[in-house]
């Protein structure tokens, strides 16, 4: 039997939606914190195939999610292009910045990224050998705009101000950075697929800060080119796009990019997503991750609401954004049990009903 995630990505409406969770391998899990301590720090964990595979598997063992997402980070690609990268505990990532032609000229390209990223491909190979046969392996990368916001600012920013400023002041340089990221993102994801990733996801976490014209160019068109190039190299490869907080920009995103699934955040309601986004393909989402902290009746009610609202079309259940470190692992269990108990009427007979 084909894996449930692949069936949903192919457009099938299932009585119980397949489930996984953004950041499912992460600090809310004591076993993750223990393995990270063993690795020393976050980046050492990312580049250690044995331990990175181990933390990827931890939430699969504990909860039986339908998909595993490769344990890595979107900022490994700029590091492979030659940027310095480090993480400040309690604050987040820091990078050497790319804001001038001279900075840009120092970036690498082509095959050279694989020198740094080869341990990531090894993690993928190990995972394909050790995952249960029903579990789908998802590879991922950051979308060029989101990765560029970190490369230009040298850190995470609230409003992506430095990247917007460079785009306004020196658009040719901004576009060169975007083009380099696009080319290397395709190469990076393509190697993940060769190593065994069955689906790839493109995280555009800051797509929502682009105005309509820039969203069209730097989120939608960029996702289209990446998707088309990956599908031409790997026919049939399913692609999930996540233009987070795109709002009205979610409408038509499947058709404009060729993505098989559009992941939606929880700034839109599941009813809205069903009406405006799921009409053109599979939707992934979109329970607010705060429920993993607060739990209780509201968690159960909102989980059912997401399952039911998105129950008439192809759906992969997920959060609207990553689970946070203060989440209670018991609430994740409650969410999964609720999803699996909320069987929905797909019009398919015996499996239907409440
Ligand atoms: O989802 C998964 O379980 C797979 C692994 C994964 C991580 N980061 C591990 C991680 C994935 C898919 C990402 C994506 C990522 N990384 C994004 C896009 C998705 C999103 O959340 O919007 C972004 C913007 C990043 C960059 C990044 N990495 C930041 C800003 C931070 C610091 C903030 C934070 O949450 O701590 C990270 C660190 C990071 N990436 C952690 C994990 C588990 C926490 C590191 C730790 O263990 O201390």
């Amino acid at each position: 039997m084909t894996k449930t995630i692949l069936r949903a990505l192919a457009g099938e409406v299932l009585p119980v939606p397949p489930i996984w969770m953004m950041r499912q391998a992460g600090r809310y899990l004591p076993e993750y914190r223990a393995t990270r301590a063993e690795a020393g720090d976050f980046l050492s964990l990312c580049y250690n195939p044995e331990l990175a595979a181990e933390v990827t598997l931890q939430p699969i063992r504990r909860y039986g999610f339908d998909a595993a997402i490769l344990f890595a980070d979107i900022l490994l690609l700029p590091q492979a292009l030659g940027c310095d990268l480090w993480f400040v505990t309690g604050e987040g990532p820091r990078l050497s910045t790319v804001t001038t032609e001279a900075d840009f000229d120092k970036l690498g390209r082509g095959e050279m990224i694989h020198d740094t990223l080869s341990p990531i491909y090894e993690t993928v190979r190990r995972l394909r050998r050790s995952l249960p046969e029903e579990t789908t392996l998802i590879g991922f990368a950051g979308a060029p705009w989101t990765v560029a916001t970190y490369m230009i600012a040298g850190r995470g920013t609230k409003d992506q101000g430095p990247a917007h400023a460079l785009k306004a002041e020196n658009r040719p340089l901004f576009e060169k950075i975007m083009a380099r990221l696009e080319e290397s993102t395709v190469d990076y994801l393509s190697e993940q697929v060769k190593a065994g990733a069955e689906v790839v996801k493109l995280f555009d976490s800051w797509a929502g800060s682009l105005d309509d014209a820039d969203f069209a160019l730097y989120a939608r068109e960029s996702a289209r080119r990446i998707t088309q190039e990956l599908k031409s190299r790997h026919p049939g490869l399913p692609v999930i796009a996540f233009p987070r907080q795109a709002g009205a920009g979610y409408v038509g995103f499947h058709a404009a990019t060729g993505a098989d699934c559009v992941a939606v955040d929880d700034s839109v309601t599941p009813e809205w997503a069903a009406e405006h986004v799921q009409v053109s393909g599979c939707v992934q989402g979109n329970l607010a991750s705060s429920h993993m902290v607060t739990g209780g009746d509201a968690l159960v009610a909102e989980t059912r609401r997401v399952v039911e609202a998105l129950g008439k079309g192809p759906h992969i259940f997920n959060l609207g954004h990553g689970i946070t470190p203060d989440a209670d692992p018991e609430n994740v269990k409650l969410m999964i049990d609720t999803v699996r108990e909320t069987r929905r009427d797909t019009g398919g007979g015996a499996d239907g009903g409440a």
Side-chain angles (χ1 to χ4, degrees):
M1 191 186 79
T2 314
K3 302 178 182 190
T4 51
I5 296 261
L6 299 177
R7 289 169 65 189
L9 287 167
E12 206 176 318
V13 186
L14 300 165
V16 176
I19 318 172
W20 68 281
M21 199 173 67
M22 286 184 268
R23 292 274 170 104
Q24 62 190 21
R27 288 160 291 180
Y28 73 104
L29 288 179
E31 58 268 37
Y32 170 84
R33 296 196 296 269
T35 309
R36 193 184 64 168
E38 187 185 339
D41 58 44
F42 173 65
L43 282 176
S44 307
L45 178 54
C46 291
Y47 287 116
N48 181 323
E50 188 190 340
L51 297 182
E54 166 58 23
V55 294
T56 307
L57 292 167
Q58 286 168 349
I60 309 304
R61 284 190 208 114
R62 187 190 263 256
Y63 300 115
F65 282 117
D66 297 293
I69 183 161
L70 164 68
F71 188 83
D73 197 84
I74 67 164
L75 300 178
L76 304 185
L77 182 62
Q79 188 177 35
L81 288 169
C83 301
D84 295 328
L85 171 69
W86 65 104
F87 280 80
V88 180
T89 312
E91 291 187 36
R94 296 288 184 277
L95 297 92
S96 52
T97 58
V98 180
T99 55
T100 65
E101 292 283 346
D103 298 333
F104 177 79
D105 290 339
K106 284 189 246 153
L107 295 178
R109 67 186 309 164
E111 297 294 309
M112 85 160 261
I113 62 167
H114 304 315
D115 296 345
T116 303
L117 297 169
S118 60
I120 310 307
Y121 313 140
E122 177 57 22
T123 305
V124 174
R125 283 189 287 271
R126 282 171 183 251
L127 284 167
R128 270 313 286 280
R129 289 197 297 267
S130 42
L131 278 168
E133 63 177 28
E134 66 276 14
T135 314
T136 303
L137 179 57
I138 303 176
F140 74 94
W145 161 247
T146 288
V147 176
T149 66
Y150 290 93
M151 284 170 83
I152 294 165
R155 58 191 299 160
T157 49
K158 257 207 175 79
D159 56 1
Q160 297 72 61
H164 284 291
L166 185 72
K167 170 160 59 64
E169 286 153 20
N170 190 346
R171 199 167 280 245
L173 175 60
F174 170 78
E175 293 199 333
K176 283 206 280 190
I177 297 170
M178 289 288 289
R180 179 65 50 86
L181 283 171
E182 200 171 292
E183 158 201 311
S184 45
T185 299
V186 170
D187 290 339
Y188 180 36
L189 288 173
S190 185
E191 285 302 307
Q192 292 182 28
V193 173
K194 287 187 219 161
E198 300 169 278
V199 173
V200 295
K201 178 168 176 186
L202 199 57
F203 283 88
D204 210 349
S205 303
W206 300 119
S209 79
L210 294 165
D211 67 24
D212 290 353
D214 284 346
F215 181 86
L217 288 173
Y218 304 125
R220 198 163 56 217
E221 270 299 291
S222 183
R224 181 187 67 78
R225 287 189 299 266
I226 291 170
T227 303
Q228 299 308 312
E229 181 58 28
L230 283 170
K231 284 177 179 277
S232 82
R233 292 191 197 181
H234 308 282
L237 173 73
V239 175
I240 305 173
F242 184 32
R244 192 170 73 92
Q245 297 199 328
Y250 282 128
V251 180
F253 206 84
H254 290 96
T257 60
D260 302 271
C261 176
V262 174
V264 298
D265 71 279
D266 53 280
S267 67
V268 298
T269 66
E271 293 81 12
W272 183 90
E275 188 180 342
H276 298 282
V277 190
Q278 201 179 36
V279 286
S280 31
C282 183
V283 163
Q284 178 176 284
N286 73 340
L287 181 70
S289 55
S290 57
H291 289 295
M292 297 302 103
V293 180
T294 53
D297 294 347
L299 182 164
V300 172
E302 285 301 304
T303 299
R304 285 191 184 135
R305 175 181 170 196
V306 170
V307 172
E308 280 159 10
L310 289 161
K312 302 235 159 21
H315 178 214
I316 297 170
F317 189 94
N318 206 307
L319 302 177
H321 200 195
I323 186 168
T324 51
D326 53 346
D328 181 346
E330 283 304 309
N331 289 334
V332 176
K333 172 102 176 49
L334 180 59
M335 171 188 79
I336 295 171
D337 289 347
T338 305
V339 171
R340 292 188 172 152
E341 280 157 16
T342 312
R343 311 195 112 222
R344 37 199 197 183
D345 188 359
T346 57
D351 270 337

